[in-house]
Amino acid sequence: MRVSKKAILAELQRVYPDAGPELNFSNPYETLVAVMLSAQCTDKQVNKVTPALFERYPDVEAMAAASVEDVYPMVKSCGFKTKASNIVEACRLILHRHGGQVPGTMDALTALPGVGQKTANVVLANAFGVPTIAVDTHVFRVSNRLGLADAKNVEKTEEQLKVAIPKKDWVAAHHWLIFHGRRVCHSQRPACESCSLNSLCKAYDTAKKTGMPVLSPKAKKETAPKAAASAKKRTAAAKPAAKASSDAAGA
């Protein structure tokens, strides 16, 4: 089928006109900490943790002076101890490098421990109003199912979405896709039959034609250097086997 990206975006906007962040924060510092905690954790759980955390450590200076051993018990339900360590160290670096102000650039944010491109994009969009598209698991899954993107990793998905979506809608579209992923287009057993986008959806069209269920796209995590190393290793392992086979044939 021919995918109408304009129609898909229009329907997403119609269904989720008030889509926005579901994490609770009120300034760049709180945004950064909440987003760092949300990695591999639900927004609902993060929102349970942050009120007490921000009451005790209300700003960069307070968090920079904190002990990881004190912070970790407060955020333990959101994941591993490295999150607490990264948050404290990030605040120390912000205090040292940026005078206590959370930086508003991609390079400065990703130089902080525990802050990757996705986290930086979310902070830039929500704390500084910078047009970005953060590709999390929901955005990756939904955009590739619908046909807004056709990519095997989040980096390519982000590149393709920036072409498919008008820049003025980048931040809003990020939230539309997340809302749709959480409410309808689930990873397992998506609610395709009741989805208002099913007539526009590439994955649903394919499922109808093949009789197969709608599957989640798989992100390709192996980087080019790793792939090359793996191929080299396989080739090296194959040589002795090939030589043994040749020797056996000669005998």
Side-chain angles (χ1 to χ4, degrees):
M1 68 178 293
R2 182 177 179 182
V3 174
S4 174
K5 296 176 181 179
K6 185 176 181 180
I8 290 171
L9 293 169
E11 180 60 12
L12 285 169
Q13 183 176 23
R14 185 192 72 79
V15 177
Y16 308 110
D18 300 318
E22 294 188 293
L23 286 172
N24 296 331
F25 47 75
S26 60
N27 56 54
Y29 159 70
E30 291 185 0
T31 307
L32 176 63
V33 173
V35 176
M36 290 177 73
L37 287 174
S38 72
Q40 298 180 321
C41 182
T42 65
D43 290 356
K44 183 177 180 181
Q45 184 58 41
V46 173
N47 289 338
K48 290 180 180 179
V49 165
T50 49
L53 183 70
F54 293 150
E55 182 178 2
R56 184 167 179 180
Y57 305 107
D59 50 34
V60 168
E61 289 82 355
M63 185 62 77
S67 162
V68 174
E69 299 304 323
D70 289 334
V71 174
Y72 177 54
M74 301 185 73
V75 302
K76 186 176 181 179
S77 63
C78 294
F80 299 109
K81 190 174 182 178
T82 50
K83 284 190 179 181
S85 178
N86 285 336
I87 288 169
V88 170
E89 183 59 25
C91 286
R92 289 172 181 172
L93 289 175
I94 291 169
L95 190 62
H96 176 69
R97 297 175 180 173
H98 307 286
Q101 300 300 309
V102 174
T105 67
M106 174 62 72
D107 288 346
L109 284 169
T110 54
L112 300 173
V115 179
Q117 184 166 322
K118 188 208 79 173
T119 296
N121 273 333
V122 175
V123 173
L124 290 172
N126 292 289
F128 298 101
V130 177
T132 64
I133 298 179
V135 180
D136 66 0
T137 55
H138 298 295
V139 174
F140 176 79
R141 179 178 71 255
V142 176
S143 61
N144 280 284
R145 275 180 176 169
L146 288 172
L148 290 173
D150 184 14
K152 296 297 184 183
N153 57 55
V154 295
E155 292 80 10
K156 286 295 182 182
T157 297
E158 181 180 330
E159 290 176 13
Q160 292 176 13
L161 288 177
K162 286 182 175 180
V163 174
I165 302 170
K167 189 172 184 177
K168 65 181 180 63
D169 293 328
W170 284 359
V171 175
H174 161 78
H175 294 301
W176 299 339
L177 291 164
I178 289 177
F179 269 48
H180 195 60
R182 288 176 175 168
R183 289 155 176 76
V184 179
C185 196
H186 312 295
S187 178
Q188 304 297 324
R189 294 185 293 278
C192 296
E193 297 303 325
S194 60
C195 178
S196 66
L197 284 151
N198 60 23
S199 64
L200 303 168
C201 178
K202 181 183 70 173
Y204 183 68
D205 181 69
T206 300
K208 284 196 303 179
K209 289 176 179 176
T210 63
M212 300 293 289
V214 172
L215 302 175
S216 288
K218 300 296 183 182
K220 188 176 181 181
K221 296 182 179 180
E222 188 176 43
T223 62
K226 286 183 179 179
S230 296
K232 186 176 181 180
K233 188 175 181 180
R234 288 193 296 270
T235 300
K239 285 181 178 179
K243 186 178 186 302
S245 177
S246 176
D247 291 345

